Amino acid sequence: MKKKLSEKLDALRGYPCIIVFAVIIVGVMLLSMLWPDREISTLENTRLKQRPKFSMSSLLQNQWTAEYGDYLKDQFPLRDGFIGMQNRTESLIFKKTELSNILVGKSGRLYTKQFSLTDSEKSQLPKNIAAINEFASRHPGKVSVLIAPSASLVYPEDLPFAAPMLNEGALLDDIFAGTGNAMAVDIRDTMIQNKEDYIYYNTDHHWTTHGAYLAYQQFCRQKGLTPFDPAQHPAVEVKKFYGTHYSASRYYAAEPDTITYYELPNQETIYNITGENQFSVKETGDLYDYAAFDTRDKYAAFLHGNNGYSTVQGNGKGSILLIKDSYANCFVPFLTANYAKIGVVDLRNFSYGIDSLMQSEGYDEVLILYNFASFKSDAKLPYLNYQAQ
């Protein structure tokens, strides 16, 4: 018996690759069993799949197997390091200019890959355009719409050679034409004329605070308002910001960004939403979540992230309601110079009637502010026209 076992071991020594492969497989399996699961990837700013609950019925339907495969992909030991190593190798050796659906510009700036509308976007975009036009028709003279262009529209010369980007300019023309009942705040020329400034982050999909200020200035010009004066307020810089594009691509040569914010005494109140016009105060405090500036997701410091409904105390007159995505978060502080009350609604976390909110809270006007990438796909925008039964 011992002689046969010895002969088998001797035979295996002639196949070192098999031995190494077997050791790696067993080692990874053991490490996976011992490695603690994570709920969130702070590097990617996304929730990770959790271990699926086993049942014989889900196994027989192949559902459990598929879910377990997704779970293993998300909870793979040292996952962040392996993804970073893979993308670094692809950039250095294969000179790839597309990493995990992020395009690497000639300057090193990272861009959202937008080669065409997806099938769902082709269906959703006309609905969103129609939703705004219908909403504005019920509130004549009160609604403005600002769609922030993507950085790729402002810097087409920086994109990888022959990148087949969709015609964002033509789609923005369609959006503004289709929302004719609202006042269009078309900032494309403004952004292009100031493209040499620091108006978009290099590693994130958002515009910078200065980019938001340029858009705000144009809004003020069209509304006849006196803009916020940055010279009258202390500016604070937060360095070493690596944004969502870096998290997705792990581009090895990415240079960190700097976030700027203005110290303001204005207060923000965030509400719990329990029903139609049913709000209770969750917290009242500073405009910024200062603790978030010390985390990887530093942009979340503005307005404490994307809350369903919040209000900001202003120094001006009247009131305005913003229907927005996260681009508005660094835009809102400037409005404190013009309005006494700024309401902020994020439809991703607010599924109730805007008309009834305007009536109960007495808002004088509405600004719908989105960036192009989220506007074309946001399935919640039609909630603008939700009517309570």
Side-chain angles (χ1 to χ4, degrees):
M1 186 70 177
K2 289 182 179 180
K3 183 177 180 180
K4 288 184 178 179
L5 179 60
S6 177
E7 288 175 351
K8 290 181 179 179
L9 291 175
D10 288 339
L12 277 175
R13 291 190 187 100
Y15 301 94
C17 290
I18 294 177
I19 297 174
V20 171
F21 182 74
V23 169
I24 291 174
I25 292 296
V26 173
V28 168
M29 289 176 61
L30 292 174
L31 190 58
S32 296
M33 293 172 63
L34 299 173
W35 200 264
D37 289 351
R38 298 183 298 163
E39 290 189 7
I40 296 174
S41 169
T42 55
L43 185 61
E44 297 169 279
N45 192 28
T46 187
R47 289 193 172 277
L48 301 175
K49 299 287 185 182
Q50 300 300 298
R51 188 187 299 271
K53 185 177 180 180
F54 177 82
S55 69
M56 187 57 67
S57 62
S58 64
L59 177 64
L60 293 175
Q61 295 172 11
N62 205 30
Q63 179 183 350
W64 184 87
T65 306
E67 291 178 354
Y68 196 78
D70 292 338
Y71 158 76
L72 288 178
K73 290 177 185 177
D74 275 9
Q75 301 294 346
F76 189 80
L78 304 175
R79 177 177 181 270
D80 290 346
F82 277 111
I83 293 175
M85 183 172 62
Q86 175 190 352
N87 286 349
R88 185 182 182 91
T89 300
E90 291 177 347
S91 298
L92 283 170
I93 298 177
F94 301 109
K95 304 298 181 183
K96 287 189 66 173
T97 56
E98 180 187 332
L99 301 168
S100 302
N101 289 321
I102 301 299
L103 303 180
V104 180
K106 298 169 187 175
S107 66
R109 180 184 280 115
L110 303 174
Y111 299 90
T112 303
K113 175 185 173 183
Q114 300 182 105
F115 288 173
S116 62
L117 294 178
T118 65
D119 289 342
S120 63
E121 289 170 344
K122 290 176 183 177
S123 171
Q124 190 64 47
L125 180 56
K127 295 177 183 177
N128 292 348
I129 294 172
I132 290 179
N133 207 43
E134 179 185 340
F135 177 76
S137 69
R138 292 199 306 278
H139 304 282
K142 291 186 175 183
V143 181
S144 305
V145 58
L146 192 165
I147 308 297
S150 306
S152 54
L153 183 145
V154 178
Y155 301 99
E157 71 282 354
D158 190 43
L159 295 172
F161 177 72
M165 302 296 283
L166 56 71
N167 191 342
E168 181 174 331
L171 290 170
L172 284 170
D173 289 341
D174 291 342
I175 291 169
F176 290 128
T179 57
N181 287 324
M183 184 186 80
V185 184
D186 186 351
I187 64 169
R188 283 176 285 181
D189 288 343
T190 296
M191 302 305 272
I192 291 170
Q193 290 166 8
N194 292 275
K195 67 192 302 179
E196 299 304 319
D197 293 346
Y198 186 37
I199 59 175
Y200 288 92
Y201 292 117
N202 295 313
T203 68
D204 193 71
H205 68 285
H206 291 103
W207 54 16
T208 64
T209 301
H210 180 56
Y213 183 71
L214 293 174
Y216 160 77
Q217 280 185 309
Q218 181 165 327
F219 173 75
C220 287
R221 285 193 295 270
Q222 293 185 219
K223 298 290 290 185
L225 302 172
T226 301
F228 174 99
D229 184 1
Q232 299 302 312
H233 304 276
V236 182
E237 291 186 345
V238 179
K239 299 185 181 297
K240 297 184 179 179
F241 170 48
Y242 288 94
T244 53
H245 283 166
Y246 172 76
S247 297
S249 68
R250 302 309 160 77
Y251 179 52
Y252 77 98
E255 294 291 333
D257 283 297
T258 297
I259 289 181
T260 299
Y261 68 93
Y262 293 95
E263 284 283 10
L264 299 173
N266 306 75
Q267 296 282 289
E268 177 187 14
T269 299
I270 300 171
Y271 295 90
N272 288 314
I273 308 163
T274 55
E276 186 84 13
N277 284 331
Q278 296 178 19
F279 314 116
S280 61
V281 174
K282 179 181 179 182
E283 60 180 289
T284 296
D286 296 319
L287 272 179
Y288 311 108
D289 179 3
Y290 292 101
F293 284 128
D294 295 323
T295 68
R296 181 172 293 279
D297 188 15
K298 299 180 189 301
Y299 189 85
F302 291 105
L303 295 189
H304 297 250
N306 299 312
N307 301 290
Y309 179 54
S310 61
T311 57
V312 174
Q313 168 199 37
N315 306 318
K317 297 179 180 180
S319 60
I320 187 170
L321 177 65
L322 261 76
I323 312 296
K324 61 88 182 177
D325 68 10
S326 57
Y327 260 59
N329 293 9
C330 64
F331 180 102
V332 167
F334 299 128
L335 293 173
T336 59
N338 309 109
Y339 298 92
K341 178 181 178 181
I342 303 116
V344 184
V345 164
D346 193 312
L347 292 171
R348 291 170 292 186
N349 299 299
F350 186 97
S351 302
Y352 300 95
I354 300 300
D355 285 2
S356 60
L357 176 66
M358 289 177 64
Q359 184 176 3
S360 64
E361 297 295 299
Y363 287 110
D364 302 317
E365 56 186 285
V366 177
L367 171 61
I368 299 170
L369 195 164
Y370 276 73
N371 79 90
F372 171 75
S374 63
F375 181 84
K376 63 184 172 63
S377 60
D378 186 5
K380 295 297 183 71
L381 253 172
Y383 273 107
L384 278 172
N385 300 305
Y386 171 86
Q387 301 289 331
Q389 302 300 318

